[in-house]
Amino acid sequence: MSIDSVNGTASTASTNSTSSGSSSDGQSINQADFLSLLVTQMQNQDPTSPMDSSQMVSQLAQISQVQATQNLQTSLSSLVSQIQSSQVADSSGLIGKTATVPSSAATLSDGSLTGAVNVTTSNAPVAVQITDPGTGKVVRTIDLGTPASGLTAFTWDGKSDDGSQLADGTYQISATAGQTAAQTYVTGTVSGVGSAGSDNGTYLQVDGVGGVLLSQVAQVN
């Protein structure tokens, strides 16, 4: 008699424990439950048709593997949680510093806005365009010359191309290096840190931008 053939119920529980790690009623079955079930099956086996020992060993190995996997997942989850807590604590030292982060929008405050352009091609003419999001009109173009590759900083004084002072608020920014669009960054003060969950890690709250993942920060000063 095989381990899967006692009273029907045992067969269902055994099958589920090896294939999905749960019993037929949806409750979790662990290694101790499986061993208890196995002992019961052995006590009630037909003497004329004893249990197949190779099948028993195979099923024991499967339930042990399931249990080991569950233990590993628990350990990894705990480790990730500890790392995230440590990273948030370490990042708290960035509060009050300025961070340069990727963004296509920036806040003009007290007539000043600072940012940067990620230049990937050396000696290409680089220009920043400031756009009024309400009208969609480019209000200022800033010529950055032909810088070397890397982050090239820029500052906007809040004035339009005709020299008039524009109101504080949020503006769209974009950049080109030659004929190619370039990534724009904005510089703001770090006002807080937090956890964005196991998939994303730590984030910084940057004034004028919002929450930005720590992994996306280009510079901290």
Side-chain angles (χ1 to χ4, degrees):
M1 181 178 65
S2 73
I3 193 172
D4 292 324
S5 61
V6 178
N7 297 329
T9 302
S11 175
T12 302
S14 175
T15 301
N16 285 341
S17 68
T18 58
S19 61
S20 63
S22 62
S23 62
S24 59
D25 61 1
Q27 296 179 337
S28 176
I29 179 171
N30 57 28
Q31 190 171 17
D33 296 330
F34 182 83
L35 290 175
S36 178
L37 177 62
L38 179 61
V39 170
T40 300
Q41 290 178 328
M42 293 178 67
Q43 291 174 339
N44 292 277
Q45 65 180 327
D46 184 353
T48 63
S49 181
M51 184 182 299
D52 185 344
S53 60
S54 62
Q55 185 180 20
M56 178 185 68
V57 171
S58 175
Q59 295 196 28
L60 278 171
Q62 290 179 28
I63 193 62
S64 296
Q65 184 178 16
V66 169
Q67 188 69 33
T69 300
Q70 292 173 342
N71 291 340
L72 179 59
Q73 289 174 338
T74 300
S75 297
L76 288 176
S77 296
S78 177
L79 178 60
V80 168
S81 178
Q82 292 175 15
I83 291 175
Q84 288 177 341
S85 297
S86 176
Q87 191 175 53
V88 170
D90 292 342
S91 299
S92 62
L94 299 177
I95 296 176
K97 296 182 179 296
T98 58
T100 301
V101 299
S103 181
S104 59
T107 301
L108 179 68
S109 178
D110 296 328
S112 180
L113 185 158
T114 58
V117 178
N118 184 24
V119 180
T120 58
T121 303
S122 298
N123 301 320
V126 178
V128 177
Q129 293 81 37
I130 311 293
T131 304
D132 183 334
T135 63
K137 177 183 177 181
V138 175
V139 295
R140 180 69 180 272
T141 298
I142 303 173
D143 184 3
L144 300 182
T146 54
S149 59
L151 282 180
T152 299
F154 69 88
T155 299
W156 179 40
D157 57 7
K159 293 182 179 180
S160 64
D161 283 330
D162 62 12
S164 60
Q165 185 66 46
L166 300 177
D168 286 353
T170 301
Y171 292 82
Q172 297 297 119
I173 58 173
S174 59
T176 55
Q179 301 298 316
T180 305
Q183 174 70 60
T184 55
Y185 292 75
V186 172
T187 299
T189 301
V190 178
S191 58
V193 300
S195 174
S198 59
D199 293 335
N200 296 312
T202 301
Y203 72 90
L204 304 182
Q205 192 70 26
V206 180
D207 291 347
V209 180
V212 179
L213 294 179
L214 181 61
S215 59
Q216 295 179 317
V217 175
Q219 287 182 343
V220 176
N221 299 310

